[in-house]
Amino acid sequence: MLASLAEFGHAQGGFHLVRNCGSWCKLVYSARTVPPELHTEALRAFQGDLRKALEQLVGEALPDRSWALAQLGIVHGGLGIRDPERHAGAAYLGSLAHTRALCGRMDPHFDPDDGRGALRLNATTELVRAQALDAAAVQGDARCWSQKELSSMLDGAALRKLCSDTAEDPWFQAHVALCSVPGAGVWLTAPPAEDGRELDTPLFQIALKRRLRCPVADTDAACPCCGQVLDRWGDHALVCGCGGDRTVRHNAVRHVRFREAAAAAARPELEKAGLLPRRPAEDGLPACGGARRPADIWLPRGVHGDAEALDFAATSGLQAGLFRQVADDTGHVFLRYEEFKRNHLQTDEQCREAGVRFTPMVLESHGGGWSGRVRGFVDWIARATAAAHHTDAAEESLRIAQRIGVTLQRENARAVLKRLVPVSTGPGPSGWAAAAADSDVW
């Protein structure tokens, strides 16, 4: 079954079928009702089949650390493809915790304390304790823990081990941190719907490789657009100043938000002119103020009820001067760039003097994470859309978030793929030239 899903023909659709229909969910009932030690080999074999299916979707074999990352939850920077062998014990203990009272009513001889050892309670508890982030917490009455709580401990322990095993690679540490920022993994939950949430297979495969920190090329090379080093991870493609890809990405993400704001009856305007006055001649600076348009999107009544200029921007947390810091504090990426946008040409000060609220809306381009202001804006638009169209606000918020996330990943993948295509240095030798060289006539 997994092999068939992986050969679905549409990588994004196949990924959703594997993740939501053919992975851990298929084993939950068995895991909740059978002590893990009784089917360990079967769980391990299924895990191997999951890895093969994901490798087929990605298009190549996965390094061990990429597979370990894939098994983490989306909020931890992974794909949410759970390891059945690791989580079986959590499922079994969670099931015992929630059914012991009912089992006692159904069977007067049921032994909730497992005095006879038939339930394998002690063995399963020790198994989970050995794998959990906080082993001391999983002791005593293990029946009080839910499956979700125990699985969260197991995910935390797996993440800690992965980071420990890769401690000598600060780039990987920063990558995992950036992919764990809120909003960074929302594109993985998007269905391949024809409303801007579908990713073509070549682009989806590039996006998956980058999420799992798999190399997209065999070696580093020269960027065909700027001549600088194009690293094998594709990181350079996201920040390359040539080729126009950053502008295309900026405009694509901006247009999604503009259309969603229009659907919410927020009356947005793209790059509204005349928000800032011209600079006075005596200040000694170029008199370009009248031509400045600080708002990618201008709202007559924004999130706070007043005129608001929304300035959308994307910045990478893997820049040379940032990547070591973001492993410990991803929020620094957003605060740093928001401050830059506010201070650049005194934009924030001039907007306040003009009676306009200036709000930088920053995305982190490498992992796809969002600043708090972006999340607040999306929720505000979603509530307005839901009120106008009689829909659910939470569903609207998720749909908008998925559209933004997919758009960002699509343009990132295009920028990478564009630079991986060999660039021709000119036409090859002409067949006529070869014929002439062999001819006595010419």
Side-chain angles (χ1 to χ4, degrees), residues 24 28 32 73 75-76 82 86-98 128 132-134 138 142-157:
W24 170 240
V28 169
R32 287 178 64 86
V75 297
H76 290 124
R82 291 194 182 278
R86 179 188 301 146
H87 289 273
Y92 185 68
L93 291 181
S95 175
L96 286 178
H98 285 81
V128 173
L133 178 62
D134 186 3
V138 190
R143 298 165 300 181
C144 65
W145 293 100
S146 69
Q147 178 180 342
K148 183 177 181 179
E149 292 169 330
L150 292 172
S151 284
S152 179
M153 292 183 188
L154 295 174
D155 275 342

Side-chain angles (χ1 to χ4, degrees), residues 318-401:
L318 278 195
Q319 298 176 58
L322 280 177
F323 74 95
R324 293 185 184 277
Q325 185 171 353
V326 300
D328 299 318
D329 179 19
T330 54
H332 177 71
V333 178
F334 302 104
L335 294 176
R336 174 180 176 272
Y337 208 65
E338 286 177 1
E339 183 179 3
F340 166 76
K341 298 294 284 186
R342 291 184 185 279
N343 294 333
H344 181 64
L345 298 178
Q346 301 175 319
T347 301
D348 185 61
E349 180 182 345
Q350 290 192 35
C351 282
R352 277 189 278 111
E353 291 175 354
V356 176
R357 183 188 297 269
F358 178 73
T359 306
M361 310 287 282
V362 181
L363 293 176
E364 196 287 311
S365 59
H366 177 82
W370 300 7
S371 70
R373 287 184 175 83
V374 175
R375 298 196 300 273
F377 171 75
V378 168
D379 288 341
W380 177 70
I381 289 296
R383 289 193 297 270
T385 300
H389 300 282
H390 303 284
T391 53
D392 181 75
E395 293 180 1
E396 292 291 349
S397 182
L398 178 60
R399 179 188 60 79
I400 297 170

